[in-house]
Amino acid sequence: MKKILFFCLVVFTACATTTKQSSVQEDELILTRKYVGNFVEYRQYLPEKFSDPYLIWIKTTMDSTYGKISAYSQKCEFDLGDRLYVRRVYYTPGISLGYWMYQIESADNKIYYRLSEFQHDSQVLIESWFTSQF
């Protein structure tokens, strides 16, 4: 009896997750990676409080458009002249709910850093780079 209940629960869960429609609109899925320039330099921002995260501010050749890009890290391993892209990834830590996570990465995707949601230099949310045209 326990095996039948377990089997029904597994089948029900599988059907519920496969038939659920995504709340992400179709046009949001088109652009997931955006070129933000070639790497120029970075500056480390030390946290003011013990609980604050380390930040690096990355400067690219398109600094006039995007400003300095804020990412979580203690150091930056990009090489001078690397082509950098901002990628958004739909992250689902649980079964049903998820959110967009943004990262800056090199062209070959070997080095990447998670971006802060608020870009301090340009005073905008990172998601606005994908919803509006720069």
Side-chain angles (χ1 to χ4, degrees):
M1 183 68 176
K2 289 182 181 180
K3 290 182 180 181
I4 293 173
L5 285 174
F6 178 73
F7 178 74
C8 291
L9 180 65
V10 170
V11 170
F12 176 73
T13 305
C15 291
T17 57
T18 57
T19 59
K20 184 177 180 181
Q21 291 183 355
S22 175
S23 62
V24 179
Q25 295 177 355
E26 184 177 340
D27 62 340
E28 291 180 350
L29 294 175
I30 293 172
L31 183 63
T32 60
R33 189 173 176 186
K34 189 171 205 172
Y35 175 70
V36 291
N38 294 347
F39 178 72
V40 176
E41 65 181 359
Y42 82 99
R43 188 176 76 205
Q44 183 182 25
Y45 174 77
L46 297 175
E48 294 176 4
K49 294 185 275 183
F50 180 71
S51 61
D52 290 345
Y54 282 92
L55 286 176
I56 54 174
W57 290 1
I58 299 170
K59 183 177 181 180
T60 67
T61 54
M62 295 179 71
D63 189 43
S64 60
T65 304
Y66 296 104
K68 294 184 180 49
I69 301 169
S70 307
Y72 297 113
S73 182
Q74 286 188 358
K75 63 179 182 170
C76 182
E77 296 181 356
F78 293 132
D79 292 325
L80 183 65
D82 279 352
R83 293 179 58 86
L84 300 181
Y85 296 88
V86 171
R87 178 185 298 270
R88 68 178 179 171
V89 178
Y90 194 69
Y91 180 68
T92 54
I95 295 175
S96 61
L97 298 176
Y99 58 92
W100 288 110
M101 184 177 70
Y102 300 88
Q103 65 188 31
I104 187 165
E105 62 188 22
S106 58
D108 57 3
N109 198 11
K110 289 185 179 180
I111 303 171
Y112 59 91
Y113 302 102
R114 184 173 179 179
L115 296 178
S116 62
E117 290 188 26
F118 184 73
Q119 293 299 300
H120 302 286
D121 190 43
S122 55
Q123 301 292 314
V124 297
L125 291 172
I126 190 73
E127 67 187 33
S128 68
W129 292 359
F130 288 90
T131 57
S132 64
Q133 298 296 322
F134 264 95

